[in-house]
Amino acid sequence: MKSAFKKFSPEKHSIDAGLLFAVTLCAGISTLLIYSIYRNGLGEVEGVGAGYWKTQLISAVIGAGAAVFLSFIDYRRLVKLWFIYAPAALILVALTFTSLGYQREGADDRAWLQIGSINLQPSEILKIAFILTFSYHLSRDEENMNKPLHMLLLCLHAAVPIAIVGKQGDYGTAIVFAAIFGFMLFSAKISWKYMVAAPILIAAAVAGMWFFALSDFHKKRITILFHPGTDPENIEYQQDLGLAALKTGKVFGKGIFGKQSDYLYVPEMHNDFIFTYAGQVFGFLGSIGIIIILAYICLKVFADSRITRDRLGRFICMGAFGLLFTHCIMNIGMVLKVAPVIGVPLPFLSAGGTAMLSMYAIIGLVLSTYSHRAISYNVFHDNDR
Protein backbone atom coordinates (compact mmCIF):
# COMPACT_ATOMS: atom_id res chain seq x y z
CA MET A 1 0.00 0.00 0.00
CA LYS A 2 2.79 2.39 0.88
CA SER A 3 4.25 2.25 -2.62
CA ALA A 4 0.90 3.26 -4.11
CA PHE A 5 1.60 6.87 -3.14
CA LYS A 6 4.25 9.06 -4.69
CA LYS A 7 5.94 11.94 -2.96
CA PHE A 8 3.63 14.80 -3.78
CA SER A 9 4.37 18.44 -4.37
CA PRO A 10 1.84 20.93 -5.81
CA GLU A 11 3.86 21.70 -8.90
CA LYS A 12 3.93 18.04 -9.85
CA HIS A 13 0.25 17.27 -9.45
CA SER A 14 -2.49 18.24 -11.89
CA ILE A 15 -6.15 17.31 -11.97
CA ASP A 16 -8.69 17.30 -14.77
CA ALA A 17 -10.78 20.09 -13.26
CA GLY A 18 -13.20 20.20 -16.18
CA LEU A 19 -14.13 16.55 -15.79
CA LEU A 20 -14.47 16.79 -12.01
CA PHE A 21 -16.62 19.93 -12.30
CA ALA A 22 -18.94 18.31 -14.86
CA VAL A 23 -19.63 15.20 -12.79
CA THR A 24 -20.11 17.28 -9.65
CA LEU A 25 -22.54 19.53 -11.52
CA CYS A 26 -24.56 16.44 -12.49
CA ALA A 27 -24.50 15.22 -8.88
CA GLY A 28 -25.75 18.62 -7.72
CA ILE A 29 -28.58 18.58 -10.28
CA SER A 30 -29.45 15.04 -9.16
CA THR A 31 -29.71 16.06 -5.49
CA LEU A 32 -31.86 19.03 -6.43
CA LEU A 33 -34.21 16.89 -8.55
CA ILE A 34 -34.62 14.24 -5.86
CA TYR A 35 -35.26 16.94 -3.24
CA SER A 36 -37.86 18.44 -5.57
CA ILE A 37 -39.59 15.04 -5.95
CA TYR A 38 -39.73 14.75 -2.16
CA ARG A 39 -40.70 18.40 -1.60
CA ASN A 40 -43.51 18.27 -4.18
CA GLY A 41 -44.95 15.04 -2.76
CA LEU A 42 -44.33 12.98 -5.91
CA GLY A 43 -42.35 10.31 -4.09
CA GLU A 44 -45.08 9.30 -1.67
CA VAL A 45 -46.19 6.32 -3.78
CA GLU A 46 -42.70 4.77 -3.73
CA GLY A 47 -41.71 6.03 -0.28
CA VAL A 48 -39.16 8.57 -1.51
CA GLY A 49 -38.64 10.50 1.71
CA ALA A 50 -36.08 13.03 2.88
CA GLY A 51 -33.52 10.24 3.31
CA TYR A 52 -33.21 9.86 -0.46
CA TRP A 53 -31.96 13.36 -1.25
CA LYS A 54 -29.81 13.40 1.88
CA THR A 55 -28.20 10.10 0.87
CA GLN A 56 -27.60 11.49 -2.61
CA LEU A 57 -25.98 14.64 -1.23
CA ILE A 58 -23.77 12.78 1.24
CA SER A 59 -22.75 10.23 -1.42
CA ALA A 60 -21.87 13.03 -3.84
CA VAL A 61 -19.71 14.82 -1.27
CA ILE A 62 -17.93 11.64 -0.22
CA GLY A 63 -17.61 10.56 -3.86
CA ALA A 64 -16.02 13.85 -4.94
CA GLY A 65 -13.54 13.60 -2.07
CA ALA A 66 -12.76 9.99 -2.99
CA ALA A 67 -12.21 10.92 -6.64
CA VAL A 68 -9.71 13.62 -5.68
CA PHE A 69 -8.03 11.21 -3.26
CA LEU A 70 -7.70 8.58 -5.99
CA SER A 71 -6.11 11.15 -8.29
CA PHE A 72 -3.09 11.16 -5.97
CA ILE A 73 -2.69 7.38 -6.10
CA ASP A 74 -0.57 5.90 -8.86
CA TYR A 75 -2.99 3.73 -10.85
CA ARG A 76 -0.08 1.45 -11.81
CA ARG A 77 0.29 0.45 -8.16
CA LEU A 78 -3.44 0.25 -7.62
CA VAL A 79 -4.00 -2.42 -10.29
CA LYS A 80 -1.45 -4.64 -8.59
CA LEU A 81 -3.68 -4.87 -5.53
CA TRP A 82 -6.18 -6.92 -7.56
CA PHE A 83 -5.85 -9.85 -5.13
CA ILE A 84 -7.58 -7.68 -2.49
CA TYR A 85 -10.44 -5.92 -4.28
CA ALA A 86 -11.30 -8.52 -6.96
CA PRO A 87 -12.10 -11.37 -4.52
CA ALA A 88 -13.88 -8.92 -2.20
CA ALA A 89 -16.13 -7.72 -5.05
CA LEU A 90 -16.91 -11.29 -6.14
CA ILE A 91 -17.73 -12.34 -2.58
CA LEU A 92 -20.12 -9.41 -2.16
CA VAL A 93 -21.91 -10.32 -5.40
CA ALA A 94 -22.04 -13.97 -4.34
CA LEU A 95 -23.76 -12.92 -1.09
CA THR A 96 -26.77 -11.72 -3.12
CA PHE A 97 -27.58 -15.40 -3.68
CA THR A 98 -27.84 -15.95 0.09
CA SER A 99 -30.42 -14.78 2.61
CA LEU A 100 -28.63 -11.41 2.70
CA GLY A 101 -29.66 -10.72 -0.91
CA TYR A 102 -33.00 -9.25 -1.81
CA GLN A 103 -35.00 -8.03 -4.79
CA ARG A 104 -36.12 -4.40 -4.78
CA GLU A 105 -39.82 -3.80 -5.29
CA GLY A 106 -40.55 -3.35 -8.99
CA ALA A 107 -37.16 -4.79 -10.02
CA ASP A 108 -36.58 -7.99 -12.01
CA ASP A 109 -33.26 -8.89 -10.40
CA ARG A 110 -32.06 -10.08 -7.01
CA ALA A 111 -28.99 -7.87 -6.99
CA TRP A 112 -29.01 -6.08 -3.63
CA LEU A 113 -27.55 -6.74 -0.19
CA GLN A 114 -29.07 -5.57 3.06
CA ILE A 115 -26.54 -5.51 5.87
CA GLY A 116 -28.17 -3.90 8.89
CA SER A 117 -29.51 -0.53 7.74
CA ILE A 118 -27.17 -0.40 4.73
CA ASN A 119 -28.44 -1.27 1.25
CA LEU A 120 -25.71 -2.12 -1.24
CA GLN A 121 -25.59 -3.13 -4.90
CA PRO A 122 -22.36 -5.18 -5.18
CA SER A 123 -22.36 -5.21 -8.99
CA GLU A 124 -21.41 -1.51 -8.90
CA ILE A 125 -18.25 -2.43 -6.98
CA LEU A 126 -17.62 -5.31 -9.37
CA LYS A 127 -17.59 -2.87 -12.30
CA ILE A 128 -14.65 -1.00 -10.75
CA ALA A 129 -12.81 -4.23 -9.97
CA PHE A 130 -13.36 -5.51 -13.51
CA ILE A 131 -12.04 -2.34 -15.16
CA LEU A 132 -8.89 -2.48 -13.04
CA THR A 133 -8.23 -6.22 -13.37
CA PHE A 134 -9.01 -6.37 -17.08
CA SER A 135 -6.82 -3.32 -17.74
CA TYR A 136 -3.97 -5.04 -15.92
CA HIS A 137 -4.59 -8.28 -17.82
CA LEU A 138 -4.61 -6.48 -21.18
CA SER A 139 -1.51 -4.39 -20.42
CA ARG A 140 0.50 -7.47 -19.49
CA ASP A 141 -0.72 -9.65 -22.36
CA GLU A 142 -1.33 -7.20 -25.21
CA GLU A 143 1.52 -8.46 -27.36
CA ASN A 144 0.17 -12.03 -27.20
CA MET A 145 -3.55 -11.27 -27.09
CA ASN A 146 -4.21 -12.36 -30.68
CA LYS A 147 -3.04 -15.90 -29.99
CA PRO A 148 -6.16 -18.10 -29.57
CA LEU A 149 -5.37 -19.29 -26.03
CA HIS A 150 -4.61 -15.79 -24.79
CA MET A 151 -7.77 -14.40 -26.41
CA LEU A 152 -9.76 -17.20 -24.80
CA LEU A 153 -8.39 -16.25 -21.37
CA LEU A 154 -9.32 -12.60 -21.94
CA CYS A 155 -12.85 -13.65 -22.91
CA LEU A 156 -13.12 -15.89 -19.84
CA HIS A 157 -12.00 -12.95 -17.68
CA ALA A 158 -14.99 -10.97 -18.96
CA ALA A 159 -17.36 -13.93 -18.92
CA VAL A 160 -17.13 -14.30 -15.13
CA PRO A 161 -18.83 -10.99 -14.15
CA ILE A 162 -21.23 -11.18 -17.11
CA ALA A 163 -22.39 -14.65 -16.09
CA ILE A 164 -22.73 -13.76 -12.39
CA VAL A 165 -24.84 -10.64 -12.86
CA GLY A 166 -26.82 -12.41 -15.57
CA LYS A 167 -27.60 -15.14 -13.05
CA GLN A 168 -28.91 -12.42 -10.72
CA GLY A 169 -31.34 -11.48 -13.48
CA ASP A 170 -29.63 -8.12 -13.94
CA TYR A 171 -29.39 -8.23 -17.74
CA GLY A 172 -28.83 -4.48 -18.00
CA THR A 173 -25.65 -4.67 -15.94
CA ALA A 174 -24.57 -7.77 -17.89
CA ILE A 175 -24.81 -5.71 -21.10
CA VAL A 176 -22.78 -2.94 -19.45
CA PHE A 177 -20.01 -5.43 -18.56
CA ALA A 178 -20.03 -6.74 -22.12
CA ALA A 179 -19.76 -3.20 -23.47
CA ILE A 180 -16.84 -2.37 -21.15
CA PHE A 181 -15.12 -5.54 -22.33
CA GLY A 182 -15.70 -4.60 -25.97
CA PHE A 183 -14.45 -1.02 -25.69
CA MET A 184 -11.32 -2.08 -23.80
CA LEU A 185 -10.54 -5.02 -26.06
CA PHE A 186 -10.87 -3.01 -29.28
CA SER A 187 -8.68 -0.24 -27.87
CA ALA A 188 -5.85 -2.79 -27.64
CA LYS A 189 -3.79 -4.27 -30.45
CA ILE A 190 -6.49 -6.65 -31.59
CA SER A 191 -6.17 -8.40 -34.94
CA TRP A 192 -8.52 -7.44 -37.76
CA LYS A 193 -9.56 -11.11 -37.91
CA TYR A 194 -11.25 -10.83 -34.52
CA MET A 195 -12.83 -7.54 -35.55
CA VAL A 196 -14.38 -9.24 -38.59
CA ALA A 197 -15.56 -12.15 -36.46
CA ALA A 198 -16.99 -9.91 -33.71
CA PRO A 199 -20.38 -9.15 -35.38
CA ILE A 200 -20.96 -12.87 -35.95
CA LEU A 201 -20.07 -13.72 -32.35
CA ILE A 202 -22.26 -10.91 -31.02
CA ALA A 203 -25.19 -12.09 -33.15
CA ALA A 204 -24.69 -15.64 -31.84
CA ALA A 205 -24.57 -14.37 -28.24
CA VAL A 206 -27.75 -12.33 -28.73
CA ALA A 207 -29.51 -15.35 -30.25
CA GLY A 208 -28.39 -17.51 -27.35
CA MET A 209 -29.71 -14.98 -24.84
CA TRP A 210 -33.01 -14.74 -26.69
CA PHE A 211 -33.69 -18.46 -26.87
CA PHE A 212 -32.11 -19.70 -23.64
CA ALA A 213 -31.89 -16.85 -21.09
CA LEU A 214 -34.61 -14.23 -21.52
CA SER A 215 -38.05 -14.83 -20.06
CA ASP A 216 -41.21 -14.15 -22.08
CA PHE A 217 -41.66 -10.92 -20.13
CA HIS A 218 -38.21 -9.65 -21.10
CA LYS A 219 -38.82 -10.62 -24.72
CA LYS A 220 -42.06 -8.65 -24.75
CA ARG A 221 -40.22 -5.58 -23.45
CA ILE A 222 -38.10 -5.74 -26.59
CA THR A 223 -40.71 -6.71 -29.20
CA ILE A 224 -43.15 -4.03 -28.06
CA LEU A 225 -40.68 -1.38 -29.28
CA PHE A 226 -41.36 -2.54 -32.83
CA HIS A 227 -45.15 -2.74 -32.37
CA PRO A 228 -46.16 0.14 -30.06
CA GLY A 229 -49.75 0.27 -28.93
CA THR A 230 -50.34 -3.47 -29.35
CA ASP A 231 -49.56 -4.46 -25.77
CA PRO A 232 -52.47 -6.17 -23.96
CA GLU A 233 -50.39 -6.50 -20.76
CA ASN A 234 -49.52 -2.77 -20.77
CA ILE A 235 -45.79 -3.42 -20.57
CA GLU A 236 -45.10 -0.10 -22.29
CA TYR A 237 -47.12 1.84 -19.70
CA GLN A 238 -44.06 3.23 -17.87
CA GLN A 239 -42.34 4.37 -21.06
CA ASP A 240 -45.54 5.97 -22.38
CA LEU A 241 -45.90 7.88 -19.10
CA GLY A 242 -42.26 8.93 -19.34
CA LEU A 243 -42.73 10.33 -22.84
CA ALA A 244 -45.89 12.14 -21.76
CA ALA A 245 -44.01 13.60 -18.79
CA LEU A 246 -41.23 14.88 -21.03
CA LYS A 247 -43.78 16.62 -23.27
CA THR A 248 -45.42 18.44 -20.35
CA GLY A 249 -42.16 20.29 -19.66
CA LYS A 250 -42.40 22.01 -23.07
CA VAL A 251 -39.49 24.36 -23.82
CA PHE A 252 -38.60 25.91 -20.48
CA GLY A 253 -40.07 23.48 -17.93
CA LYS A 254 -42.32 23.91 -14.92
CA GLY A 255 -39.63 24.78 -12.39
CA ILE A 256 -38.25 22.95 -9.38
CA PHE A 257 -40.98 23.72 -6.88
CA GLY A 258 -44.71 23.62 -7.44
CA LYS A 259 -47.85 21.72 -6.52
CA GLN A 260 -48.04 17.95 -6.78
CA SER A 261 -50.79 18.28 -9.37
CA ASP A 262 -48.47 20.29 -11.63
CA TYR A 263 -46.31 17.25 -12.39
CA LEU A 264 -46.99 13.89 -13.98
CA TYR A 265 -45.98 10.95 -11.80
CA VAL A 266 -43.83 8.26 -13.46
CA PRO A 267 -42.78 5.07 -11.60
CA GLU A 268 -39.07 5.14 -10.63
CA MET A 269 -38.88 8.83 -11.56
CA HIS A 270 -36.28 9.33 -8.83
CA ASN A 271 -34.16 6.49 -10.12
CA ASP A 272 -33.97 4.97 -13.63
CA PHE A 273 -36.57 7.41 -15.01
CA ILE A 274 -35.14 10.58 -13.47
CA PHE A 275 -34.64 12.03 -16.96
CA THR A 276 -38.44 12.23 -17.30
CA TYR A 277 -38.64 14.43 -14.21
CA ALA A 278 -35.74 16.56 -15.42
CA GLY A 279 -37.75 17.11 -18.61
CA GLN A 280 -40.77 18.27 -16.63
CA VAL A 281 -38.72 20.58 -14.39
CA PHE A 282 -36.23 22.01 -16.89
CA GLY A 283 -38.09 21.52 -20.17
CA PHE A 284 -36.61 20.69 -23.55
CA LEU A 285 -33.72 23.13 -23.18
CA GLY A 286 -32.78 21.79 -19.76
CA SER A 287 -32.96 18.19 -20.99
CA ILE A 288 -30.65 19.03 -23.87
CA GLY A 289 -28.34 20.75 -21.38
CA ILE A 290 -28.12 17.58 -19.28
CA ILE A 291 -27.37 15.51 -22.38
CA ILE A 292 -24.61 17.97 -23.33
CA ILE A 293 -23.03 17.68 -19.86
CA LEU A 294 -23.14 13.87 -20.01
CA ALA A 295 -21.71 13.91 -23.54
CA TYR A 296 -18.91 16.20 -22.34
CA ILE A 297 -18.09 13.78 -19.50
CA CYS A 298 -17.91 10.82 -21.88
CA LEU A 299 -15.83 12.68 -24.46
CA LYS A 300 -13.50 14.08 -21.79
CA VAL A 301 -12.82 10.58 -20.47
CA PHE A 302 -12.17 9.41 -24.03
CA ALA A 303 -9.85 12.37 -24.64
CA ASP A 304 -7.95 11.60 -21.43
CA SER A 305 -7.39 8.07 -22.72
CA ARG A 306 -5.33 9.55 -25.55
CA ILE A 307 -2.84 11.35 -23.29
CA THR A 308 -2.05 8.71 -20.67
CA ARG A 309 1.59 7.84 -20.04
CA ASP A 310 1.12 4.15 -20.86
CA ARG A 311 -1.24 1.54 -22.27
CA LEU A 312 -2.50 0.58 -18.82
CA GLY A 313 -3.81 4.10 -18.25
CA ARG A 314 -5.46 4.06 -21.68
CA PHE A 315 -7.27 0.82 -20.92
CA ILE A 316 -8.57 2.17 -17.61
CA CYS A 317 -9.92 5.28 -19.34
CA MET A 318 -11.50 3.25 -22.14
CA GLY A 319 -13.16 1.00 -19.58
CA ALA A 320 -14.55 4.08 -17.84
CA PHE A 321 -15.70 5.51 -21.18
CA GLY A 322 -17.42 2.24 -22.10
CA LEU A 323 -19.25 2.17 -18.76
CA LEU A 324 -20.41 5.80 -18.83
CA PHE A 325 -21.33 5.83 -22.52
CA THR A 326 -23.33 2.59 -22.30
CA HIS A 327 -25.20 3.74 -19.18
CA CYS A 328 -26.17 7.03 -20.83
CA ILE A 329 -27.27 5.49 -24.13
CA MET A 330 -29.27 2.69 -22.50
CA ASN A 331 -30.97 4.89 -19.91
CA ILE A 332 -31.95 7.78 -22.16
CA GLY A 333 -32.88 5.33 -24.93
CA MET A 334 -35.15 3.54 -22.46
CA VAL A 335 -36.86 6.81 -21.49
CA LEU A 336 -37.31 7.82 -25.13
CA LYS A 337 -38.74 4.36 -25.92
CA VAL A 338 -36.07 3.40 -28.41
CA ALA A 339 -34.58 0.82 -26.01
CA PRO A 340 -36.28 -1.66 -23.65
CA VAL A 341 -36.80 -0.96 -19.94
CA ILE A 342 -33.75 -2.68 -18.51
CA GLY A 343 -32.95 -0.98 -15.19
CA VAL A 344 -29.71 0.90 -15.89
CA PRO A 345 -29.30 4.18 -13.94
CA LEU A 346 -28.29 7.50 -15.48
CA PRO A 347 -24.73 8.30 -14.30
CA PHE A 348 -24.51 10.88 -11.50
CA LEU A 349 -28.24 11.63 -11.78
CA SER A 350 -30.27 8.56 -10.75
CA ALA A 351 -30.85 8.09 -7.01
CA GLY A 352 -28.59 5.58 -5.28
CA GLY A 353 -25.66 5.95 -2.93
CA THR A 354 -23.79 2.89 -4.23
CA ALA A 355 -24.16 3.99 -7.86
CA MET A 356 -23.03 7.56 -7.05
CA LEU A 357 -19.96 6.41 -5.12
CA SER A 358 -18.97 3.83 -7.73
CA MET A 359 -19.30 6.36 -10.57
CA TYR A 360 -17.13 8.83 -8.68
CA ALA A 361 -14.60 6.07 -8.05
CA ILE A 362 -14.47 5.40 -11.80
CA ILE A 363 -13.85 9.10 -12.39
CA GLY A 364 -11.17 8.99 -9.69
CA LEU A 365 -9.33 6.31 -11.67
CA VAL A 366 -9.47 8.49 -14.78
CA LEU A 367 -8.18 11.45 -12.74
CA SER A 368 -5.31 9.24 -11.56
CA THR A 369 -4.27 8.48 -15.13
CA TYR A 370 -4.51 12.20 -15.94
CA SER A 371 -2.55 13.44 -12.93
CA HIS A 372 0.21 10.85 -13.38
CA ARG A 373 0.60 11.32 -17.13
CA ALA A 374 3.42 13.86 -16.78
CA ILE A 375 4.71 13.44 -13.22
CA SER A 376 8.49 13.23 -13.20
CA TYR A 377 10.14 10.50 -11.15
CA ASN A 378 13.70 10.54 -9.91
CA VAL A 379 16.16 7.78 -9.13
CA PHE A 380 14.90 7.48 -5.57
CA HIS A 381 11.42 6.39 -6.71
CA ASP A 382 10.42 3.21 -8.44
CA ASN A 383 9.70 4.06 -12.07
CA ASP A 384 8.44 0.70 -13.27
CA ARG A 385 5.68 0.64 -15.85
Side-chain angles (χ1 to χ4, degrees):
M1 288 294 290
K2 194 173 180 182
S3 63
F5 297 87
K6 291 295 184 184
K7 184 178 179 182
F8 168 72
S9 59
E11 68 273 16
K12 288 183 178 181
H13 186 81
S14 61
I15 195 165
D16 191 340
L19 177 59
L20 185 60
F21 174 77
V23 298
T24 303
L25 177 60
C26 276
I29 293 171
S30 170
T31 304
L32 184 62
L33 288 172
I34 296 168
Y35 176 74
S36 174
I37 290 172
Y38 158 71
R39 166 70 170 69
N40 296 337
L42 292 162
E44 293 176 357
V45 177
E46 297 177 291
V48 180
Y52 278 74
W53 72 263
K54 290 177 181 178
T55 297
Q56 200 76 348
L57 177 60
I58 293 170
S59 299
V61 172
I62 295 174
V68 174
F69 176 76
L70 283 171
S71 74
F72 288 100
I73 301 179
D74 189 336
Y75 61 92
R76 297 174 301 164
R77 302 307 199 279
L78 195 58
V79 296
K80 294 179 181 179
L81 300 176
W82 63 268
F83 57 88
I84 297 176
Y85 52 78
L90 288 170
I91 289 171
L92 285 173
V93 174
L95 287 175
T96 62
F97 297 100
T98 70
S99 59
L100 293 174
Y102 74 98
Q103 183 173 337
R104 288 176 60 244
E105 186 176 352
D108 302 325
D109 55 316
R110 185 184 175 90
W112 290 79
L113 285 179
Q114 186 162 14
I115 305 174
S117 59
I118 299 175
N119 296 326
L120 178 70
Q121 190 174 13
S123 60
E124 296 295 331
I125 301 171
L126 188 60
K127 289 174 186 174
I128 303 169
F130 175 67
I131 288 174
L132 287 172
T133 57
F134 196 64
S135 295
Y136 191 40
H137 190 166
L138 268 178
S139 67
R140 290 178 62 87
D141 205 33
E142 189 176 15
E143 296 302 322
N144 298 308
M145 63 176 289
N146 291 307
K147 297 177 180 179
L149 179 59
H150 292 260
M151 180 58 69
L152 176 62
L153 291 175
L154 287 169
C155 291
L156 288 175
H157 190 148
V160 171
I162 293 173
I164 292 175
V165 297
K167 183 66 176 177
Q168 289 178 325
D170 191 354
Y171 299 121
T173 300
I175 292 172
V176 171
F177 272 108
I180 294 171
F181 166 70
F183 277 105
M184 294 177 70
L185 193 67
F186 284 96
S187 67
K189 297 175 181 177
I190 189 169
S191 168
W192 64 269
K193 296 178 183 179
Y194 291 109
M195 297 181 71
V196 170
I200 301 172
L201 295 174
I202 292 171
V206 170
M209 285 287 294
W210 182 268
F211 290 109
F212 302 109
L214 296 182
S215 65
D216 289 339
F217 179 73
H218 288 104
K219 291 178 181 178
K220 288 175 183 177
R221 278 185 170 179
I222 297 172
T223 56
I224 197 63
L225 297 175
F226 302 98
H227 307 285
T230 61
D231 174 26
E233 299 178 31
N234 218 12
I235 292 175
E236 56 188 333
Y237 170 75
Q238 188 179 16
Q239 287 177 298
D240 288 340
L241 267 182
L243 287 174
L246 283 171
K247 292 176 183 177
T248 64
K250 298 184 179 179
V251 178
F252 299 106
K254 300 175 180 179
I256 290 290
F257 303 117
K259 296 182 295 184
Q260 185 174 355
S261 58
D262 293 336
Y263 305 91
L264 183 61
Y265 169 76
V266 180
E268 296 293 329
M269 66 192 304
H270 64 292
N271 194 4
D272 295 342
F273 274 74
I274 197 167
F275 191 70
T276 65
Y277 189 64
Q280 293 189 75
V281 168
F282 300 128
F284 175 77
L285 293 180
S287 300
I288 293 298
I290 288 175
I291 291 174
I292 290 173
I293 297 171
L294 291 171
Y296 171 82
I297 292 170
C298 292
L299 291 174
K300 196 72 175 71
V301 170
F302 182 81
D304 285 350
S305 75
R306 315 305 297 177
I307 58 173
T308 58
R309 67 182 296 137
D310 56 18
R311 303 289 291 177
L312 174 61
R314 173 173 291 190
F315 296 144
I316 290 174
C317 288
M318 286 305 298
F321 171 77
L323 183 150
L324 293 166
F325 178 77
T326 306
H327 267 263
C328 291
I329 292 296
M330 290 177 66
N331 182 276
I332 295 176
M334 173 181 71
V335 170
L336 297 179
K337 206 177 177 181
V338 295
V341 176
I342 204 163
V344 173
L346 192 58
F348 302 102
L349 286 159
S350 293
T354 307
M356 180 67 78
L357 290 171
S358 67
M359 288 294 176
Y360 260 115
I362 294 295
I363 294 299
L365 295 176
V366 176
L367 294 179
S368 175
T369 68
Y370 182 90
S371 63
H372 288 83
R373 74 196 189 286
I375 291 180
S376 59
Y377 296 84
N378 59 43
V379 293
F380 299 104
H381 292 92
D382 183 10
N383 194 28
D384 69 297
R385 293 181 179 230

